[in-house]
Amino acid sequence: MRIFRTILISLLLLNLASCSTNEKEDNKKQSEKSKEEAKEGNVEVEKGLLNVEITIPASMFEGQDINTVIADAKKEGVKEVTQNEDGSLTYKMSKAKHKEMMKEMKESVIASVEEMKNSEDYQSIKDITYNNDFSEFTVVVDKAAFENSMDGFATMGLAMSGMMYQLYNGVDPDKYKVTISLKDEATQKVFDDVVYPDDLNEEQTEAE
């Protein structure tokens, strides 16, 4: 689905509107909290009985035409898109639509994994398995070929996919993680584990 492809490499999404006045008051407070967390680079997901709301930080739209992002989201079924003062976007859609999108996101991640496994671009990668919420991936490789190639970049793509899936499924931005385990095809032993976003943040800190 086009929206998820945009999400993984940029993104998308959704919101909650309630029926009672009290629920609306709570939603307003939660929306303010979402906007504050968006400033920190987090994606805030709030679910209700009928609808779902997600506030997406401005950093995720860097390099994109914001009007096109909004138009594409509405074409995909997002009820409302609000551009906030800090540059973040708040998407509102039905809970049913959110469920549909999560299903399509999962299908897209799986399709990407299959493509990666069969691509000639990653010849050292022999197999990839994963758990249900994409918080863990096991990448089976020809160790010698892997260590002498650029195929390690593929693991970052898997990590980004897993992190995005978890964020849009409502995992706390302070708790979501993706572990990439590298297993040698010959010995069937894991020779390295990479945990995102922890290791990615460490690399960025060292680079600075």
Side-chain angles (χ1 to χ4, degrees):
M1 178 180 172
R2 192 174 64 236
I3 266 211
F4 178 59
R5 293 290 183 185
T6 302
I7 277 184
L8 248 43
I9 297 181
S10 58
L11 75 160
L12 135 99
L13 268 342
L14 354 85
N15 166 319
L16 167 110
S18 41
C19 300
S20 70
T21 301
N22 290 335
E23 287 176 326
K24 289 180 180 178
E25 296 265 314
D26 290 340
N27 286 343
K28 182 177 179 181
K29 292 178 182 178
Q30 290 296 332
S31 178
E32 289 301 319
K33 179 181 178 182
S34 296
K35 294 173 185 177
E36 287 301 315
E37 292 188 348
K39 295 179 182 178
E40 300 297 322
N42 294 333
V43 176
E44 180 72 11
V45 180
E46 182 169 337
K47 299 180 181 179
L49 294 176
L50 302 176
N51 304 290
V52 177
E53 175 181 289
I54 292 181
T55 297
I56 308 166
S59 60
M60 288 186 162
F61 303 109
E62 289 182 4
Q64 299 182 69
D65 180 79
I66 201 67
N67 293 323
T68 300
V69 172
I70 292 173
D72 287 346
K74 289 184 176 180
K75 285 179 183 178
E76 295 294 344
V78 176
K79 290 179 180 178
E80 298 178 30
V81 181
T82 302
Q83 186 170 5
N84 304 309
E85 291 183 2
D86 62 1
S88 63
L89 295 181
T90 297
Y91 293 78
K92 295 181 180 182
M93 68 165 43
S94 67
K95 189 172 182 179
K97 187 63 181 180
H98 178 253
K99 182 177 180 180
E100 177 187 329
M101 281 194 168
M102 293 308 300
K103 177 177 180 291
E104 292 176 342
M105 287 175 73
K106 175 169 283 193
E107 291 172 350
S108 291
V109 175
I110 294 173
S112 295
V113 167
E114 291 303 312
E115 183 178 348
M116 192 176 295
K117 285 162 54 176
N118 298 307
S119 173
E120 294 184 358
D121 294 332
Y122 304 109
Q123 295 188 8
S124 71
I125 296 177
K126 306 304 179 182
D127 194 18
I128 302 173
T129 58
Y130 44 84
N131 62 354
N132 191 55
D133 65 355
F134 303 117
S135 62
E136 297 178 5
F137 290 87
T138 298
V139 183
V140 180
V141 302
D142 177 326
K143 183 179 179 182
F146 180 83
E147 292 179 337
N148 289 286
S149 72
M150 301 297 286
D151 292 356
F153 284 110
T155 65
M156 186 177 293
L158 293 174
M160 292 301 295
S161 297
M163 288 190 291
M164 282 294 186
Y165 183 86
Q166 290 180 65
L167 283 172
Y168 287 102
N169 201 34
V171 174
D172 188 324
D174 293 326
K175 297 180 179 179
Y176 76 107
K177 292 185 185 300
V178 174
T179 300
I180 307 292
S181 297
L182 299 174
K183 179 187 286 188
D184 182 20
E185 181 183 36
T187 64
Q188 288 298 296
K189 292 183 178 180
V190 173
F191 62 89
D192 195 12
D193 285 315
V194 185
V195 180
Y196 291 86
D198 296 358
D199 289 342
L200 181 62
N201 292 336
E202 288 179 7
E203 290 175 5
Q204 291 175 336
T205 300
E206 290 175 0
E208 293 175 357

